[in-house]
């Protein structure tokens, strides 16, 4: 466990990262350490090359205090967002500013060797010509991850990935510490860092509805992963309306099997083939396939069958989310993923069902919103945030601060639950 000195250093770093124009008097007020202790810790962080002066702040009568900032150019971060059908890789500085990205459609079922080789190639292209070293890597995958080990565990839509050593492979490849998490957790982290309403909500549920369905739980502003990392995996809970529908996980009646993107595409195709939906029939004739976004397009054009399908999907989601709202009582429920494109057709129904079925006290001040981050960058944003939060967490900081170089110890500590953004 990190000692008091390391905890103070991590707290000061966190405060400097979170704000602009931070001064030592501000740190004394915000962190609660004495002036002499703050001065010592600031000097230590400056000597390690992690922070630097950034002009002067307003004077309260004496000498104007120095502003402090992170030395964002000291190192680079890699973010890798692996979704069911898409790969996004980005490089960022230590301030979290994304400097470049690469993106391509994939099939995660092609397996880790194919997908990770492409991710490594994209990373090499993004790093080409840059002189700063890679300090940390954050990775998101569309399945359950044991956070302590970074290993995917029986991921339903990721054949060949079970127990694959993603962390070890990328740590050896880039000579930097690597953290791996479920992609929905990373989307929630991205929301926390980029949306003021989410950052101040305290208790939040982030629910991604796309090809799969998953949730992330935020408690007191921190991501809660549960005992092993499986908290929030709601896509494979059984619901009465699921009947005997077979899910990709092998069970029957899962929420994802009847309300996820695959189900929406399947039902949309049936509407097209039966000619119940003229708009979807036209799309099928033109493209040979029906995707979830095609159902949304048809509904937007006024197609009644497509609108009814989205309405049924929203009711199914709303019923499950009402249970979660009653159970957890969050301040904020954020919907992300492909469902955001259908916001006008699904959000009113989801809200109505939640308010009708959840406890009145749980919904009295509940805010239900869609994510403000574009789907294509929300996972990448979260991957960068994960790398930053864990890199500067007390348990990790203690392993590399003396050398000033986290690449000298590429593997993360055995358990990094002390991160200020995670539990």
């Amino acid at each position: 466990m990190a000692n008091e000195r390391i905890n103070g250093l991590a707290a000061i770093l966190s405060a400097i990262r979170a704000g602009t124009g931070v001064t030592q008097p501000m740190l004394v007020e915000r962190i609660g350490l004495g002036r002499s202790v703050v001065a010592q810790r600031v000097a230590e962080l400056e000597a390690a090359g992690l922070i630097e002066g950034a002009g002067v702040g307003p004077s309260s009568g004496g000498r104007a205090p120095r502003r402090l900032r992170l030395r964002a150019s000291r190192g680079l971060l890699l973010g890798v967002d692996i979704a069911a059908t898409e790969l996004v890789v980005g490089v960022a500085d230590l301030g979290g500013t994304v400097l470049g990205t690469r993106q391509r459609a994939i099939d995660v079922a092609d397996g880790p060797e194919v997908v990770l080789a492409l991710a490594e190639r994209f990373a090499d292209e993004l790093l080409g010509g840059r002189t700063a070293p890679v300090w940390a890597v954050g990775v998101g995958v569309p399945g359950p991850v044991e956070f302590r080990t970074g290993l995917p565990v029986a991921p339903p839509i990721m054949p060949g990935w079970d127990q694959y050593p993603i962390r070890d492979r990328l740590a050896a490849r880039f000579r930097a510490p690597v953290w791996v998490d479920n992609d929905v957790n990373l989307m929630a982290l991205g929301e926390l860092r980029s949306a003021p309403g989410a950052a101040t909500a305290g208790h939040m549920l982030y629910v991604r509805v796309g090809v799969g369905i998953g949730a992330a739980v935020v408690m007191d502003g921190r991501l809660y992963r549960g005992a092993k990392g499986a908290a929030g995996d709601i896509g494979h809970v059984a619901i009465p309306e699921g009947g005997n529908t077979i899910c990709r996980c092998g069970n029957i009646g899962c929420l994802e099997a009847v309300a996820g993107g695959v189900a929406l595409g399947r039902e949309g195709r049936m509407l097209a083939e039966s000619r119940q939906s003229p708009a979807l029939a036209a799309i099928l004739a033109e493209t040979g396939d029906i995707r979830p976004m095609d159902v949304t397009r048809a509904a937007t054009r006024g197609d009644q069958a497509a609108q009814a399908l989205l309405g049924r999907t929203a009711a199914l989601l709303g019923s499950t989310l009402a249970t979660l709202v009653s159970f957890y009582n969050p301040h904020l429920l954020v919907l992300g993923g492909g469902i955001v494109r259908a916001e006008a057709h699904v959000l009113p129904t989801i809200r109505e069902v939640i308010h009708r079925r959840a406890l009145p006290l749980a919904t009295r001040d509940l805010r239900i919103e869609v994510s403000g981050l574009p789907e294509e960058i929300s996972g990448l944003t979260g991957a960068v945030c994960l790398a930053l939060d864990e890199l500067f967490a007390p348990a990790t900081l203690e392993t590399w601060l003396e050398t000033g170089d986290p690449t000298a110890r590429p593997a993360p500590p055995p358990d990094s639950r002390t991160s200020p953004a995670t539990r």
Side-chain angles (χ1 to χ4, degrees):
M1 180 176 292
N3 58 35
E4 184 176 337
R5 166 179 157 270
I6 292 294
N7 287 333
L9 289 166
I12 289 173
L13 268 176
S14 179
I16 293 173
R17 287 172 51 212
T20 57
V22 176
T23 64
Q24 282 190 204
M26 291 179 184
L27 292 172
V28 171
E29 180 179 347
R30 294 177 187 179
I31 298 175
L33 296 174
R35 285 182 296 176
S36 61
V37 174
V38 168
Q40 291 172 7
R41 302 294 176 258
V42 166
E44 189 172 351
L45 291 171
E46 283 191 286
L50 294 177
I51 64 174
E52 61 187 357
V56 296
S59 171
S60 58
R63 186 172 62 181
R66 288 191 310 145
R67 297 184 186 275
L68 301 167
R69 67 185 177 197
L70 191 71
R71 286 190 63 189
S73 61
R74 276 289 308 280
L76 297 170
L77 308 165
L78 285 175
V80 180
D81 177 28
I82 302 170
T85 59
E86 188 173 50
L87 170 70
V88 184
V89 179
V91 62
D93 64 21
L94 296 183
T97 299
V98 176
L99 307 174
T101 63
R102 293 288 189 276
Q103 185 173 351
R104 179 173 295 181
I106 62 164
D107 184 350
V108 74
D110 287 340
E113 297 296 337
V114 172
V115 174
L116 292 177
L118 179 60
E120 290 166 349
R121 179 159 68 83
F122 282 171
D124 288 339
E125 292 173 1
L126 291 165
L127 294 171
R130 301 183 191 274
T131 57
V134 175
W135 273 25
V137 183
V139 184
V141 298
V145 174
E146 185 181 40
F147 187 68
R148 186 182 65 84
T149 63
L151 295 172
V153 179
I157 67 169
M158 301 173 67
W161 290 79
D162 184 32
Q163 300 291 321
Y164 188 87
I166 300 172
R167 185 175 75 182
D168 292 346
R169 170 174 174 155
L170 296 182
R173 179 68 170 73
F174 295 106
R175 301 303 304 164
V178 178
W179 287 272
V180 185
D181 203 352
N182 172 264
D183 59 350
V184 185
N185 282 343
L186 297 193
M187 291 177 180
L189 274 182
E191 195 77 17
L192 284 172
R193 295 292 181 272
S194 62
T200 58
H203 293 66
M204 179 182 83
L205 280 174
Y206 184 102
V207 178
R208 179 186 187 272
V209 183
V211 174
I213 299 175
V217 183
V218 174
M219 299 177 63
D220 292 325
R222 299 178 179 182
L223 193 61
Y224 175 78
R225 295 187 173 90
K228 293 293 184 180
D233 195 355
I234 65 170
H236 301 286
V237 299
I239 63 172
E241 298 88 348
N244 293 321
T245 305
I246 299 175
C247 183
R248 291 178 298 171
C249 71
N251 290 322
I252 61 173
C254 295
L255 173 66
E256 185 176 301
V258 293
V262 172
L264 194 61
R266 180 186 67 240
E267 296 296 319
R269 188 181 185 100
M270 292 174 59
L271 292 176
E273 291 175 343
S274 65
R275 311 295 295 183
Q276 295 179 62
S277 168
L280 289 174
I283 293 173
L284 181 61
E286 179 183 351
T287 67
D289 193 17
I290 296 295
R291 302 165 298 172
M293 67 177 64
D294 295 324
V295 178
T296 301
R297 286 169 54 197
T300 302
R301 295 172 183 173
D303 187 279
Q304 294 183 357
Q307 290 173 349
L309 174 55
L310 287 175
R312 290 195 300 272
T313 300
L316 291 172
L317 291 169
S319 181
T320 298
L321 294 180
T323 301
L324 295 180
V325 166
S326 291
F327 176 77
Y328 179 53
N329 187 200
H331 296 107
L332 175 65
L333 169 62
V334 178
L335 299 175
I339 196 172
V340 173
R341 290 191 291 266
E343 173 185 357
H345 304 286
V346 300
L347 193 56
T349 298
I350 290 175
R351 281 184 172 140
E352 187 275 327
V353 173
I354 289 175
H355 280 275
R356 173 163 49 86
R357 300 197 57 167
L359 293 171
L361 182 58
T363 58
R364 187 169 66 190
D365 298 316
L366 175 67
R367 292 168 19 229
I368 304 173
E369 303 173 357
V370 298
S371 173
L373 274 177
E375 183 184 8
E376 59 270 17
I377 67 166
S378 61
L380 174 63
T381 301
V384 169
C385 291
L386 173 69
L388 272 174
D389 289 344
E390 297 299 332
L391 178 67
F392 292 132
T396 314
L397 188 64
E398 188 174 29
T399 67
W400 62 267
L401 183 62
E402 297 301 330
T403 65
D405 181 7
T407 64
R409 185 185 176 92
D415 193 337
S416 51
R417 287 177 295 176
T418 52
S419 163
T422 61
R423 282 185 182 173

